């Protein structure tokens, strides 16, 4: 297989369910961030555009007021010619610069549009504070004359400064309604300060949008994590269950295979093979039952069927039915009532007693197990104590994890008992016993005592 083919094979390898869920989380985060970014960018563009229009309108209104005041000072002589004497004597036309342009009579009678070059400059300040090229002033005046209304446009001074030009058309005295403008007044105002403020606002809005998009991405990542967490936990439980099943059923399955091969060869007594096969099958059934119970508890699908329960009677019946096989199990039980699921509590206590019978004695010696049921008011305890070798320090921290026990063998009993206790709001603790062995205390919340008979 060539390198290219191997590369394509690796790229086409399917993702694991966990990887797909994590990829989904990244996509949700990206979608959340993109959606927020689109909305924020649209709002930012609207705000920046609105600010640009606002300052231009505000400047135009100011320039319009100044130009209309200057227009009131403009006069004409008896021959209809412009007379700017009063305007020049009264108003300072150098700052802001005020230009007076007129339409030649021949051009005014013509129906065509007035070209900027056709306008005659009647007055221009000699030393204006803002020097604008003559063509720019003519263009502003021609735009106002041709539109028959005030016009404004952006421009530049001869030194490159940003300015705003405002042109206001004027008419001859007692002109007819359809008469064309006689000329236009053009004033100029600097816009450097307004544009600087506008740029600062744009940068602030841009920075704020970037910050909000980043915050949105973080929030989206956290929310998507919370959203996919149940799926990841379910996948972890599924993988854990499969690993547990494969781990715990591998040994008895191999033993069954060995027994079958032995029976086929006829190397042993068939009765012994059948007995050992039955024992292995019962053990595998118990393992499968324990695995299913653990899976239901961890997934939350096991619904607690709680009811008032005489815990002392349950423990006594369980110990009486347990196969002792030469071991000694004694019970010290006082009347105790709990509100719990009978099946789950029975399984938890049976696991504790079974663990003590298996691990609570020296090799070849019978186990001595003591089970005590005590009512402590707010809680009821079931104490299972043995006289075995005790708990090795190296397993004390992980004693209730699956496949850990006092003798470091595999199993699910203690972990299931711990899960049952926590499912009922109780606890399971372990420590040294009075006779040197292990001591397990299952604590469950107490319930109301049943009414006395008779």
């Amino acid at each position: 297989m060539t390198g290219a083919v191997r590369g394509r094979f690796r790229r086409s390898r399917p993702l694991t369910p966990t990887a797909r869920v994590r990829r989904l989380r990244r996509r949700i985060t990206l979608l959340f961030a993109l959606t927020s970014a689109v909305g924020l960018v649209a709002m930012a563009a609207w705000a920046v555009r609105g600010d640009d229009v606002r300052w231009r309108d505000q400047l135009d209104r100011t320039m319009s007021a100044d130009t209309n005041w200057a227009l009131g000072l403009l006069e004409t002589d008896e021959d209809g010619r412009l007379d700017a004497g009063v305007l020049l004597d009264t108003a300072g036309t150098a700052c802001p610069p005020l230009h007076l342009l007129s339409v030649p009579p021949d051009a005014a009678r013509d129906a065509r549009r007035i070209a900027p070059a056709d306008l005659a400059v009647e007055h221009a300040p000699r030393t204006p504070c803002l020097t604008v090229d003559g063509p720019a002033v003519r263009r502003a005046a021609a735009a106002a004359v041709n539109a028959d209304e005030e016009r404004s446009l952006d421009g530049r001074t001869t030194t490159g400064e940003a300015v705003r030009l405002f042109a206001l058309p004027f008419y001859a005295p007692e002109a007819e309604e359809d008469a064309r403008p006689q000329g236009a007044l053009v004033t100029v105002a600097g816009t450097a300060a307004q544009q600087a403020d506008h740029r600062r606002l744009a940068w602030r809005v841009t920075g704020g949008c970037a910050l909000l998009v980043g915050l949105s991405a973080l929030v989206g990542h956290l929310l998507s994590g919370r959203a996919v967490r149940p799926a990841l936990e379910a996948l972890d439980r599924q993988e854990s269950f499969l690993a547990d099943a494969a781990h715990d059923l591998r040994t008895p399955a191999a033993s069954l295979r060995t027994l079958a091969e032995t029976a086929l060869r006829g190397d042993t007594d068939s009765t012994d093979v059948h007995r050992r096969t039955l024992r292995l099958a019962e053990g595998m059934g118990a393992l499968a039952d324990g695995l299913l119970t653990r899976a239901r508890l961890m997934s939350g699908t096991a619904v607690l069927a709680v009811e008032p329960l005489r815990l002392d009677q349950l423990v006594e019946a369980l110990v009486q039915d347990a196969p002792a096989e030469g071991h000694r199990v004694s019970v010290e039980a006082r009347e105790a009532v709990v509100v719990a699921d009978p099946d789950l509590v029975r399984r938890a206590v049976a696991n504790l007693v079974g663990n003590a019978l298996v691990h609570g004695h020296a090799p070849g010696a019978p186990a001595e197990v003591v089970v005590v049921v005590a009512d402590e008011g707010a809680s009821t305890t079931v104490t299972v104590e043995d006289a075995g070798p005790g708990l090795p320090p190296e397993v004390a921290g992980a004693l209730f994890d699956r496949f850990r026990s006092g003798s470091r063998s595999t199993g699910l009993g203690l972990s299931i008992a711990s899960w049952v206790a926590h499912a009922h709001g109780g606890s399971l603790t372990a420590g040294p016993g009075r006779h040197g062995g292990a001591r397990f205390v299952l604590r469950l919340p107490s319930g109301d005592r049943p009414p006395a008979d008779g």
Side-chain angles (χ1 to χ4, degrees), residues 336-360:
V337 178
V338 296
V339 178
D341 187 314
D343 294 335
L344 292 179
V345 173
R346 184 180 295 106
R347 178 176 293 278
V349 176
N351 289 347
L352 294 177
V353 174
N355 181 77
L357 292 176
V358 174
H359 306 293

Side-chain angles (χ1 to χ4, degrees), residues 2-364:
T2 64
V5 174
R6 287 197 298 269
R8 287 196 298 270
F9 177 75
R10 286 194 296 268
R11 286 193 296 270
S12 62
R13 187 168 51 191
L15 296 174
T16 63
T18 301
R20 288 199 295 269
V21 172
R22 296 187 185 279
R23 184 176 64 179
L24 175 62
R25 180 187 182 185
R26 291 193 295 270
R27 290 181 175 178
I28 293 175
T29 301
L30 180 61
L31 180 61
F32 194 86
L34 287 178
T35 304
S36 301
V38 170
L40 289 172
V41 168
M43 292 181 62
W46 176 80
V48 172
R49 174 61 180 169
D51 180 74
D52 184 69
V53 173
R54 179 194 59 78
W55 74 260
R56 292 178 188 277
D57 288 344
Q58 184 177 0
L59 183 59
D60 287 346
R61 285 195 296 270
T62 301
M63 297 174 70
S64 177
D66 294 341
T67 308
N68 277 280
W69 174 78
L71 183 61
L73 303 177
L74 189 62
E75 297 179 350
T76 57
D77 57 18
E78 296 178 354
D79 298 330
R81 292 190 300 268
L82 291 175
D83 184 3
V86 178
L87 173 62
L88 299 178
D89 293 338
T90 306
T93 62
C95 195
L98 184 64
H99 302 78
L100 176 61
L101 296 90
S102 64
V103 179
D106 295 340
R109 288 192 299 267
D110 197 350
R112 64 182 177 86
R113 293 174 61 85
I114 302 299
D118 295 336
L119 297 173
V121 179
E122 301 292 340
H123 169 73
R126 294 182 179 180
T127 56
C129 58
L130 296 171
T131 303
V132 182
D133 289 336
V137 176
R138 290 175 180 274
R139 284 194 299 271
V145 170
N146 290 322
D148 200 10
E149 61 182 4
E150 59 187 31
R151 281 287 185 265
S152 58
L153 55 89
D154 294 322
R156 293 279 178 179
T157 65
T158 55
T159 58
E161 298 180 32
V163 294
R164 185 83 167 166
L165 292 91
F166 183 87
L168 178 67
F170 63 86
Y171 303 84
E174 300 179 358
E176 298 179 359
E177 293 184 1
D178 58 347
R180 301 194 64 177
Q182 192 177 7
L185 284 173
V186 179
T187 186
V188 182
T191 60
Q194 291 87 341
Q195 291 192 3
D197 291 340
H198 178 69
R199 284 193 296 271
R200 282 194 293 269
L201 175 65
W203 279 112
R204 289 171 183 171
V205 171
T206 301
C209 284
L211 180 62
L212 289 176
V213 169
L215 181 62
S216 175
L218 177 61
V219 172
H221 186 70
L222 296 176
L223 292 178
S224 62
R226 292 177 63 89
V228 303
R229 187 179 303 165
L232 289 175
E233 292 176 353
L235 289 173
D236 289 341
R237 287 192 296 267
Q238 177 182 350
E239 293 177 0
S240 176
F241 176 78
L242 294 176
D244 293 349
H247 183 281
D248 223 21
L249 295 176
R250 185 181 296 112
T251 299
S255 300
L256 282 176
R257 179 184 179 88
T258 302
L259 284 176
E261 293 175 349
T262 302
L264 288 175
R265 291 195 302 268
D267 295 340
T268 185
D269 183 21
S270 60
T271 303
D272 182 59
V273 171
H274 293 161
R275 186 181 302 108
R276 293 169 61 188
T277 302
L278 179 60
R279 187 163 55 250
L280 284 173
E282 292 175 348
M284 292 179 68
L287 285 174
D289 194 15
L291 287 169
L292 290 174
T293 300
R294 171 190 171 272
R296 293 191 184 99
L297 288 173
M298 293 298 292
S299 63
T301 57
V303 180
L304 298 181
V306 296
E307 60 183 51
L309 174 66
R310 282 286 298 272
L311 187 59
D312 55 315
Q313 296 178 355
L314 182 147
V315 172
E316 289 175 348
L318 188 148
V319 171
Q320 184 177 0
D321 297 338
E325 297 182 356
H327 304 299
R328 293 187 292 274
V329 182
S330 59
V331 179
E332 301 176 7
R334 295 182 179 180
E335 181 180 347
V337 178
V338 296
V339 178
D341 187 314
D343 294 335
L344 292 179
V345 173
R346 184 180 295 106
R347 178 176 293 278
V349 176
N351 289 347
L352 294 177
V353 174
N355 181 77
L357 292 176
V358 174
H359 306 293
H361 61 90

